[in-house]
């Protein structure tokens, strides 16, 4: 027996005995982990070359894994709730046990592989965020905030001298709208993690498309969240009074926001600035340009907007995040537009890369 036939025999025996779930996508995992390892090495080299940077030895890896697990749980709780609601008509006519058995028999391979793929997704996402934050949290130490005045001026020039948030000043008088934007901005974290995990477990989506999304997200966060954020080091409107030459420019905006005690976003902004002042390396870091919220939301459109219904849902969500980014004081509007542009370019680059890995499937 040749080595090749022996390998094939052993592999078929393992698959037959379900020792290795047949739905494990080793190629996707190999490419993703290879890219993330390279990113982490670059981030560590960059960190070690920064002499005297605050928090040079600190790490938020454990915090990001906690963040990943928490938001994975939130995402799948929502998915399960929606799934149960869609199954209600069947459950009314049949016992839940019968429905569950039928679903399992139809999706046995995928369900067998799911725990392994979810674990791979959680580990890889935590690795990505650790790599990203290793650089982002140290941006002010590498390049002090210097672009806020310029970005604010560019923002105003888009609307003939008026800061974009002022065009929506009426919104602050309608708390339900602001609270909704605040919720959508907050739930973005669960959607970000969930979309990543989905690409590991959703066997109904082509492998090429799932890998394209993962690569595009990685490139978007590396190019936009690390490289461009370093070059255009900026803090954003909510921190404008601390870093600009005109501290009062966004004072009215922040007054509006702090007058609404139900918002989560103002508490998060205060926490980030307190962490920054203490030279801590916690989750997040401070960086305005480009907006990763908007970039990721635009990738949702490109990845999941494949039908008219989903295109409408994802586009509406992107618009809400874009508006919320400056209405809630996190970003200048130009940050969001730049984030979408970076995401679009990275989606195209991801398509070119995947065409070499999955030639028959790449689109």
């Amino acid at each position: 027996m040749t080595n090749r036939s022996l390998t094939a025999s052993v592999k078929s025996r393992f698959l037959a005995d379900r020792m290795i779930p047949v739905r494990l996508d080793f190629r996707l995992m190999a490419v993703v982990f290879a890219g993330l390892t390279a990113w982490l090495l670059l981030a560590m080299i960059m960190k070690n070359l920064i002499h005297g940077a605050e928090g040079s030895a600190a790490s938020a890896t454990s915090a990001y894994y906690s963040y990943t697990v928490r938001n994975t749980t939130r995402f799948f709780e929502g998915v399960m709730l929606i799934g149960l609601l869609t199954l209600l008509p069947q459950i009314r006519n049949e016992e839940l046990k019968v429905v569950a058995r039928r679903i399992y028999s139809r999706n046995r391979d995928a369900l067998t592989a799911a725990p392994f793929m979810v674990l791979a997704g959680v580990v890889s996402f935590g690795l990505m965020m650790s790599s990203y934050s290793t650089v982002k949290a140290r941006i002010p130490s590498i390049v002090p905030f210097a672009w806020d005045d310029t970005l604010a001026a560019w923002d105003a020039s888009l609307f003939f001298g008026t800061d974009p948030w002022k065009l929506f000043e009426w919104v602050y008088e309608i708390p339900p709208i602001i609270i909704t934007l605040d919720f959508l901005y907050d739930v973005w974290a669960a959607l970000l993690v969930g979309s990543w995990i989905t690409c590991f477990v959703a066997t109904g989506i082509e492998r090429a498309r799932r890998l394209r999304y993962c690569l595009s997200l990685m490139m978007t966060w590396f190019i936009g969240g690390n490289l461009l954020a370093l070059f255009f080091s900026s803090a954003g409107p909510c921190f404008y009074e601390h870093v600009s030459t005109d501290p009062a420019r966004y004072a009215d905006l922040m007054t509006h926001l702090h007058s609404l005690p139900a918002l989560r976003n103002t508490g998060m902004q205060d926490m980030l600035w307190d962490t920054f002042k203490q030279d801590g390396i916690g989750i997040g870091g401070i960086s305005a340009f480009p907006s990763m919220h908007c970039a990721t939301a635009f990738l949702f459109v490109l990845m999941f907007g494949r039908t008219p219904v989903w295109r409408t849902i994802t586009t509406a969500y992107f618009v809400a995040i874009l508006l919320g980014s400056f209405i809630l004081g996190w970003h200048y509007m130009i940050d969001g537009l730049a984030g979408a542009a970076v995401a679009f370019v990275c989606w195209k680059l991801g398509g070119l890369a995947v065409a070499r890995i999955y030639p028959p499937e790449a689109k």
Side-chain angles (χ1 to χ4, degrees), residues 234-307:
S234 50
C238 56
F239 307 121
Y240 198 81
E241 64 175 308
H242 304 293
V243 301
S244 72
T245 58
D246 181 12
R249 181 165 189 165
Y250 291 95
D252 289 343
L253 167 61
M254 300 313 297
T255 298
H256 286 312
L257 293 174
H258 282 282
S259 68
L260 297 167
L263 299 184
R264 285 176 55 86
N265 107 106
T266 50
M268 180 63 71
Q269 290 165 356
D270 292 340
M271 182 275 292
L272 286 175
W273 190 254
D274 288 342
T275 302
F276 169 69
K277 288 192 299 182
Q278 296 166 10
D279 299 329
I281 306 297
I283 284 184
I286 294 176
S287 177
F289 184 98
S291 166
M292 291 296 98
H293 266 73
C294 293
T296 303
F298 194 71
L299 281 177
F300 293 163
V301 179
L302 298 173
M303 172 64 185
F304 301 106
R306 305 181 69 182
T307 66

Side-chain angles (χ1 to χ4, degrees), residues 72-134:
T72 298
T73 303
R74 290 173 63 191
F75 177 79
F76 281 107
E77 285 174 349
V79 169
M80 290 177 64
L81 177 60
I82 294 172
L84 286 173
L85 291 175
T86 59
L87 287 175
L88 279 179
Q90 297 181 50
I91 296 174
R92 287 182 187 144
N93 300 323
E94 302 178 79
E95 291 185 10
L96 179 59
K97 185 187 298 183
V98 175
V99 175
R101 187 181 297 119
R102 182 167 61 248
I103 293 174
Y104 178 76
S105 63
R106 290 176 181 174
N107 303 277
R108 182 178 177 180
D109 290 341
L111 291 172
T112 302
F116 299 92
M117 295 304 290
V118 168
L119 178 61
V122 168
V123 171
S124 59
F125 187 85
L127 180 61
M128 182 178 78
M129 296 307 291
S130 296
S131 304
Y132 161 74
S133 66
T134 295

